Amino acid sequence: MSRNRRLKLQVFRVVVFLVFGAFFLIPIGAMFEFSTRGNGDAPRTLVAWQTIFQTPDLVAAILASLALAVITSLGMLLLLVPTMIWVRLRLPSLSRIVEFLCLLPLTIPGIVLVAGLAPEYRWLSINVSESILTLAFVYLVLVLPYTYRTLHTGLAAIDVKTLSEAARSLGAGWATVMGRIIVPNMWSALLNASLLSVAVVLGEFTIANLLNYVNLQVSIFLVGKANGAVSIAVAVASLMFAFLLLVILSFFGRPRARVARLEEA
Amino acid sequence: MTVATKPLVETARRPLRGGRRFSLDWLGAVPFLAYVGLFLLLPTAIVVGGAFVGPKGLTLSNLTAMNKSYIIGAFVHSVVLSAASAIIGAVLGAVLAYAVATGNPKGVLRRLVTSACGVLAQFGGVTLAFAFLATIGLAGFITLWLQQRGINIYANSFWLAELSGLVLVYTYFQIPLMVLVFLPALDGIRPQWREATESLGGGTWHYWRYVAGPLLAPAFLGGTLLLFANAFSAYATAAALISQGSIIASLLIANTLTSEVGLAQPGLASALALVMVVIVAVVMVLYTQLQRRTSKWLQ
Amino acid sequence: MEYARLRRRDFHGLHRLGILAGALVLLTACGGTSTSGTTTSAANAKSAADVGGMTALIAAAKKEGKLNVIALPPDWANYGAIISGFTAKYGIPIDSANPNGTSQDEVNAVQQLAGTTRAPDVLDIGKAVTLANLSLYAPYKVQTWNDIADTQKEATGLWVQDYGGYMSIGYDSAKVPAITSLQDLMGSGFKGKVALNGDPTKANAALNGVMMTSIASGGSADDISKGVDFFHQLKVKGNFSTVSATTATVKNGSTPVVFDWDYLSAAHGVAVPTWKVFTPNNAILGDYYNQAVNKQAPHPAAARLWMEYLYSDEGQNLWLKGLARPVRMAAMKKSGTLDAAAAAKLAPVTGTPTFLTDAQFTKAKDYLASHWAQAIG
């Protein structure tokens, strides 16, 4: 690359990052500013932030959302990983269908899904549990598009067929093949998928709201109608939390195909 | 009964029934299929079916009842909003993605930007709506700052809670989504192509016009379509900003689901939802086609 | 050998299934309603006497241990003090859901959450929504039933009015010009500033706001169309705000002009010192809200105890402190139990107020159902 072009590229990059950086960081900064305003001419105060912990409904909603995030991640891994491995190995004809089903939630907006979910959730509330954690059932479906892609990339990076055949020929059962051979080789994809699920679940509003559950976003929304500063404090805190999670995730890098250690015969 | 002897090498077991290994393999996919059927396909079927059900059985009256100017208006507004935020988001997102892609692939900046994009793209409208209210709402930081200098940005109307405001707020999650979708395509561009163009005497213009441009076009178009579908389906942002009236389709569906009006005609909400699903489905089909073309060349 | 291995594996699977089934049974059992003797009779009690008197009712309520209320903002007619007063007096914690919800939201919650322990026990709703959902309520007559005029209660006790006020227009005089007539709102100084307290097809305060506008613009209690036209004009001019007014929006200046009850406008005046109130003198529209007990209340005794509390002198006076007019006001004044100091703070009523009849409410609601979205959209 010529020096002239490199210079132009660098200038371009600097300008782009400054402009976009400003566009994205100013509202975040404004949220911090808004949540620390004092009354009238009073000095900056952290009262709004302290009030978060004094509002039991808010704390309950935060904990519920965190629990939902964990449950959804685990559920997604338990449902999707074995299925994807099984399909890859034994039912390749189904892979198109599985892919289609996993991408389908992108096509069905939450607001549409909830119209059909209301009767199901009425039944669930009465016959299974009325806990907000039942939302995990539908959240698992919501995260499918994002996690499928990640897991698919992770699976594609390792030679699943050879590994599983080798393991099976040495006497491993399917549980061993999946749990001790394949999964350890794709664990950064698994982590990736889990943290994506966490981000989606923490940010979900529509379905929880219309099904009358109070999760983090619904709580922010409700508190916002009564107290702007507190709701904005929670909002920016949750954004920062999710951002931190994803930054940590990014340091686990791309899935590297590691050679599985074969069990001693 | 044979004496128990452990074979030296255990092969994969025989199928438990006859010789039809394939029929049992199906069982492995059943949990997933059943789950998706129950929590995705069934609700969708309920909605789609409900659109054709009236108080006396199957009917098209719900669909014809949508021929009201405010309903059509809501869908038109949604299309306009989605198209505008998609195009703006796609262009700006592509620019940002290019700036990221031309940097160090393992660098800190790339990590930070992609993480930030991941959060903002998935994170949800309530938070973003509040972020904008805190920034340029009526009591927002920038609004007040401008007011102190004598500029009233809301002299004509509170446009933040109208279509133009929604476009602005939507770009906040559209740009990151575009970055996430377009970055892999940009990563697929090989430096050899640039060198090849130059060795044939072409400049930057030729490179973009004849080489990189056409290769990236499907990805770019696909990204725009995805952004369109994303904006069209979005509900939370608008709900957090607008609590009076339903200027866009998703607000209209929500209002019809929860107001006495809609509860008296449950089919109407389903009919509105059906229209939304059809529009989004068409867009997503086009998107998938473009994705296939992109992956052929760039991945 | 294969056979043996197969059986063990099958059993293992069944074992897991058994645990899952057991867990499900436990969950269902925990979610189910208790069927002890007192609770059942509380659910069918039509008055405190049916349960065995107030003491029995209090005991039953304490046993239930909780009360679910919905859409009761703490600064709405002093509900905050009422909620804490109830908890302090009887030791029963109250779960207050969706404080800024509308009447329609309350009914939706009752229907969506029916059969769960999260369903609202009691409702405080506008007349239009009340009349449309009679099948959801349980009849209950409070001990002070006879103090309430016949026109202000349903004969079998399905609903009874609780507190009321007059519709007004509150505005922040520091942000908008003074309002001397309804037409002022069409002025250019009101761009994006005029708000309703909710959506008229869902919220009672908003419905009455539109009705008051209708009466002031040549309509009548039978005809809300002029009000709808007025707001349509307001929307066309860009003066109508797309934000429903709440305490937060009034405080942060998003909704400087609000059609609201006089008691709420008074409350806004506390948060915003420059808040003023205007009532068109040819349209004094009064309305009372209505209490109803959820027929499938998860805490039926607590629900009924709450009703008794609200209609006791203590409850009624707390509403009075919130500058609303409690339904037993006339009777309490006669018996001398009215809080005179609080009563003195009520805004005077100049002129003859209009109160809509049940039929007029239903008519207004139906008109809004078919025309509001069009007018505002």
Side-chain angles (χ1 to χ4, degrees):
Chain A
M1 198 193 282
S2 73
R3 187 180 266 181
N4 195 10
R5 205 147 53 79
R6 200 177 301 153
L7 188 65
K8 272 199 266 183
L9 184 62
Q10 284 305 88
V11 168
F12 165 74
R13 295 185 76 224
V14 167
V15 168
V16 162
F17 285 125
L18 279 178
V19 169
F20 280 98
F23 178 66
F24 285 106
L25 290 175
I26 287 179
I28 310 281
M31 288 171 95
F32 276 109
E33 191 274 332
F34 195 99
S35 60
T36 52
R37 275 189 204 170
N39 245 343
D41 287 319
R44 296 228 158 259
T45 164
L46 283 174
V47 165
W49 289 83
Q50 289 159 347
T51 318
I52 298 175
F53 300 103
Q54 292 155 2
T55 322
D57 289 341
L58 202 48
V59 172
I62 294 172
L63 292 175
S65 270
L66 288 173
L68 273 170
V70 170
I71 296 174
T72 308
S73 279
L74 289 175
M76 176 273 303
L77 290 175
L78 277 170
L79 184 69
L80 211 49
V81 172
T83 305
M84 286 175 72
I85 295 175
W86 189 256
V87 164
R88 212 175 166 82
L89 291 175
R90 283 270 190 262
L91 298 166
S93 54
L94 265 190
S95 67
R96 270 297 183 86
I97 295 181
V98 170
E99 177 173 3
F100 171 73
L101 285 175
C102 283
L103 294 182
L104 199 56
L106 277 181
T107 313
I108 301 175
I111 186 82
V112 167
L113 199 58
V114 81
L117 277 175
E120 274 190 50
Y121 265 85
R122 257 188 294 253
W123 185 91
L124 269 174
S125 294
I126 300 176
N127 295 295
V128 176
S129 164
E130 54 183 58
S131 158
I132 188 178
L133 299 179
T134 52
L135 276 179
F137 288 125
V138 70
Y139 282 177
L140 206 157
V141 165
L142 288 185
V143 304
L144 282 180
Y146 312 99
T147 54
Y148 173 80
R149 200 158 278 157
T150 316
L151 291 173
H152 185 83
T153 319
L155 264 181
I158 56 182
D159 190 351
V160 186
K161 206 160 152 61
T162 314
L163 280 174
S164 70
E165 278 181 11
R168 297 268 296 161
S169 71
L170 288 169
W174 277 113
T176 315
V177 171
M178 288 196 194
R180 296 176 67 187
I181 311 288
I182 299 182
V183 162
N185 275 300
M186 53 182 292
W187 89 277
S188 71
L190 295 179
L191 193 62
N192 206 331
S194 306
L195 289 182
L196 275 177
S197 309
V198 169
V200 171
V201 170
L202 286 181
E204 208 284 323
F205 170 77
T206 309
I207 294 182
N209 189 32
L210 286 163
L211 287 179
N212 272 95
Y213 289 104
V214 182
N215 70 355
L216 174 65
Q217 299 287 332
V218 173
S219 189
I220 294 176
F221 179 65
L222 291 179
V223 171
K225 290 201 214 176
N227 189 331
V230 174
S231 63
I232 287 181
V234 185
V236 75
S238 54
L239 261 178
M240 292 294 105
F241 176 70
F243 175 64
L244 213 63
L245 275 182
L246 289 186
V247 167
I248 293 172
L249 151 76
S250 72
F251 278 101
F252 283 96
R254 296 172 191 286
R256 251 172 254 113
R258 281 182 296 170
V259 177
R261 266 188 286 122
L262 293 177
E263 303 288 299
E264 298 291 349
Chain B
M1 188 61 101
T2 56
V3 173
T5 48
K6 197 169 191 303
L8 281 171
V9 171
E10 283 182 35
T11 49
R13 286 184 191 46
R14 276 165 170 256
L16 295 156
R17 218 182 280 150
R20 299 258 171 78
R21 172 173 278 175
F22 126 94
S23 66
L24 257 146
D25 288 345
W26 259 97
L27 285 179
V30 162
F32 175 77
L33 293 173
Y35 192 90
V36 172
L38 195 58
F39 285 100
L40 180 63
L41 301 178
L42 181 59
T44 314
I46 291 177
V47 170
V48 167
F52 297 102
V53 168
K56 301 190 200 99
L58 285 179
T59 170
L60 284 174
S61 66
N62 295 320
L63 296 172
T64 50
M66 292 196 295
N67 188 14
K68 293 208 182 66
S69 71
Y70 73 92
I71 293 181
I72 298 177
F75 277 102
V76 167
H77 288 149
S78 275
V79 169
V80 168
L81 169 65
S82 307
S85 67
I87 293 171
I88 297 174
V91 168
L92 294 178
V95 167
L96 181 58
Y98 184 67
V100 172
T102 48
N104 179 4
K106 287 191 185 54
V108 172
L109 184 65
R110 176 152 175 156
R111 282 194 220 282
L112 288 178
V113 173
T114 38
S115 304
C117 287
V119 176
L120 293 172
Q122 336 273 30
F123 206 60
V126 176
T127 322
L128 295 182
F130 280 26
F132 271 81
L133 284 174
T135 316
I136 56 168
L138 281 167
F141 170 62
I142 291 187
T143 320
L144 294 177
W145 188 80
L146 287 173
Q147 259 174 19
Q148 281 164 2
R149 279 149 189 75
I151 309 171
N152 181 9
I153 55 176
Y154 295 118
N156 277 331
S157 67
F158 185 46
W159 50 264
L160 186 64
E162 288 168 21
L163 221 52
S164 35
L166 284 182
V167 172
L168 175 63
V169 182
Y170 274 31
T171 54
Y172 205 78
F173 60 75
Q174 296 284 56
I175 293 175
L177 186 61
M178 185 63 178
V179 169
L180 289 177
V181 170
F182 199 53
L183 206 52
L186 282 175
D187 283 340
I189 299 225
R190 315 215 198 298
Q192 292 87 338
W193 299 342
R194 188 68 193 247
E195 291 162 13
T197 321
E198 287 186 344
S199 73
L200 288 168
T204 309
W205 161 249
H206 288 100
Y207 173 65
W208 283 107
R209 167 76 178 84
Y210 296 108
V211 183
L215 282 169
L216 288 173
F220 181 81
L221 274 173
T224 315
L225 287 175
L226 183 65
L227 262 56
F228 181 91
N230 192 37
F232 201 82
S233 321
Y235 164 71
T237 316
L241 282 174
I242 299 173
S243 36
Q244 196 64 260
S246 338
I247 60 169
I248 57 175
S250 49
L251 283 180
L252 185 60
I253 295 177
N255 263 334
T256 319
L257 278 173
T258 54
S259 79
E260 168 65 28
V261 183
L263 291 170
Q265 325 164 255
L268 182 60
S270 298
L272 295 170
L274 178 62
V275 173
M276 177 179 265
V277 170
V278 166
I279 295 178
V280 176
V282 165
V283 171
M284 288 304 287
V285 163
L286 291 170
Y287 165 70
T288 334
Q289 303 294 74
L290 285 167
Q291 269 295 92
R292 296 240 171 82
R293 277 188 73 182
T294 311
S295 54
K296 253 200 315 182
W297 282 104
L298 291 170
Q299 263 148 18
Chain C
M1 239 24 237
E2 285 182 6
Y3 250 134
R5 228 175 272 138
L6 167 63
R7 248 189 249 128
R8 222 182 300 142
R9 207 195 309 155
D10 260 356
F11 178 67
H12 196 47
L14 274 175
H15 185 57
R16 282 213 197 113
L17 208 61
I19 294 178
L20 182 63
L24 277 174
V25 168
L26 266 174
L27 276 171
T28 332
C30 288
T33 45
S34 90
T35 45
S36 70
T38 352
T39 322
T40 325
S41 66
N44 291 328
K46 295 204 172 78
S47 70
D50 284 355
V51 196
M54 273 300 281
T55 343
L57 183 62
I58 296 173
K62 281 196 173 140
K63 199 155 166 214
E64 285 172 354
K66 195 170 167 216
L67 178 71
N68 293 341
V69 300
I70 184 171
L72 301 182
D75 49 9
W76 179 293
N78 206 16
Y79 255 117
I82 295 176
I83 290 174
S84 44
F86 180 83
T87 307
K89 186 163 182 181
Y90 298 112
I92 300 173
I94 295 183
D95 186 314
S96 177
N98 195 2
N100 283 288
T102 63
S103 299
Q104 189 60 45
D105 290 339
E106 298 189 45
V107 164
N108 291 346
V110 166
Q111 290 171 321
Q112 176 71 22
L113 300 173
T116 70
T117 61
R118 295 195 302 137
D121 288 308
V122 284
L123 301 162
D124 182 16
I125 41 185
K127 181 55 72 65
V129 172
T130 310
L131 293 172
N133 294 283
L134 292 172
S135 57
L136 297 179
Y137 321 136
Y140 185 77
K141 296 186 184 177
V142 288
Q143 290 194 312
T144 49
W145 187 254
N146 295 322
D147 281 352
I148 304 168
D150 287 339
T151 49
Q152 295 189 293
K153 60 194 182 193
E154 196 274 337
T156 60
L158 282 178
W159 53 262
V160 51
Q161 289 184 345
D162 43 24
Y163 60 88
Y166 297 96
M167 187 43 68
S168 65
I169 303 175
Y171 64 98
D172 187 347
S173 52
K175 291 201 163 67
V176 297
I179 302 177
T180 52
S181 81
L182 214 51
Q183 275 305 114
D184 287 352
L185 294 176
M186 295 286 183
S188 54
F190 291 88
K191 291 268 187 209
K193 297 199 161 105
V194 182
L196 280 170
N197 187 344
D199 178 330
T201 59
K202 299 190 207 176
N204 188 49
L207 187 156
N208 277 281
V210 178
M211 179 54 88
M212 175 189 84
T213 314
S214 193
I215 296 175
S217 312
S220 71
D222 284 301
D223 175 24
I224 198 173
S225 66
K226 301 281 186 302
V228 176
D229 293 340
F230 181 90
F231 278 94
H232 174 68
Q233 280 305 309
L234 218 53
K235 181 78 207 284
V236 164
K237 280 216 153 56
N239 288 8
F240 184 58
S241 170
T242 46
V243 176
S244 288
T246 65
T247 328
T249 63
V250 164
K251 201 158 152 205
N252 68 27
S254 317
T255 53
V257 181
V258 185
F259 281 75
D260 224 343
W261 298 113
D262 53 359
Y263 46 88
L264 294 181
S265 293
H268 294 323
V270 171
V272 178
T274 42
W275 198 259
K276 292 201 167 55
V277 180
F278 165 74
T279 318
N281 50 20
N282 60 342
I284 305 173
L285 179 64
D287 189 26
Y288 282 77
Y289 276 84
N290 308 268
Q291 285 286 331
V293 174
N294 181 359
K295 193 152 71 179
Q296 295 185 23
H299 315 99
R304 286 157 175 79
L305 184 60
W306 171 256
M307 295 286 280
E308 295 293 350
Y309 182 70
L310 291 178
Y311 290 90
S312 67
D313 293 339
E314 186 179 337
Q316 298 276 298
N317 275 324
L318 281 173
W319 268 326
L320 187 61
K321 273 212 190 64
L323 296 174
R325 289 148 211 279
V327 72
R328 285 180 53 225
M329 195 154 126
M332 280 166 71
K333 197 160 176 193
K334 217 189 282 182
S335 66
T337 46
L338 195 70
D339 182 342
K345 293 208 181 91
L346 287 173
V349 183
T350 53
T352 0
T354 318
F355 288 86
L356 265 60
T357 64
D358 291 2
Q360 287 167 335
F361 262 114
T362 310
K363 191 163 171 213
K365 183 167 84 73
D366 291 338
Y367 187 87
L368 286 171
S370 42
H371 293 86
W372 179 255
Q374 186 81 25
I376 291 304

